[in-house]
Amino acid sequence: MNTYILVESNIINADKLAEYGQQAAITLAHYGGRFIAKGPASSLHGQSAFSHRAIIEFDNEQRALDWYHSDAYQALVPLREQALSSQFQMITTPNAL
């Protein structure tokens, strides 16, 4: 079962975002996480409070959770809060989708 973390965000500080993005990407490698999409998003229906999206793929839910709760990623949360207002959601797909 693949698991995806959907990050919805609004940029607060572009310089801090560049720093956070670079460091966060490094933390993903140990858990097999990979960005499959990121950037500005436009709504096809309804209103959204967030202007940007990122989708991060993991092989399974446990690896996604292990990454998010890792000491390495959690150390970046204060920087993330300076860079973005955000919401993280996890989606796990069944094998036979």
Side-chain angles (χ1 to χ4, degrees):
M1 282 190 269
N2 285 358
T3 295
Y4 302 89
I5 293 182
L6 171 64
V7 181
E8 299 179 298
S9 65
N10 290 318
I11 298 170
I12 297 171
N13 182 311
D15 293 333
K16 296 282 185 182
L17 175 59
E19 184 181 348
Y20 164 76
Q22 189 173 49
Q23 292 181 42
I26 293 167
T27 68
L28 286 171
H30 180 72
Y31 299 93
R34 56 210 160 273
F35 283 99
I36 59 172
K38 64 180 175 176
S42 56
S43 285
L44 298 177
H45 174 76
Q47 298 293 320
S48 175
F50 298 102
S51 61
H52 287 72
R53 306 283 188 283
I55 302 171
I56 308 167
E57 182 179 40
F58 293 87
D59 291 336
N60 59 59
E61 185 175 319
Q62 191 58 56
R63 293 195 48 96
L65 290 170
D66 288 347
W67 165 75
Y68 187 81
H69 295 294
S70 70
D71 291 341
Y73 182 71
Q74 287 300 306
L76 297 177
V77 169
L79 181 58
R80 181 187 76 199
E81 299 301 314
Q82 294 172 25
L84 304 166
S85 62
S86 61
Q87 178 178 18
F88 283 52
Q89 299 172 339
M90 187 168 63
I91 305 163
T92 300
T93 60
N95 285 332
L97 188 67

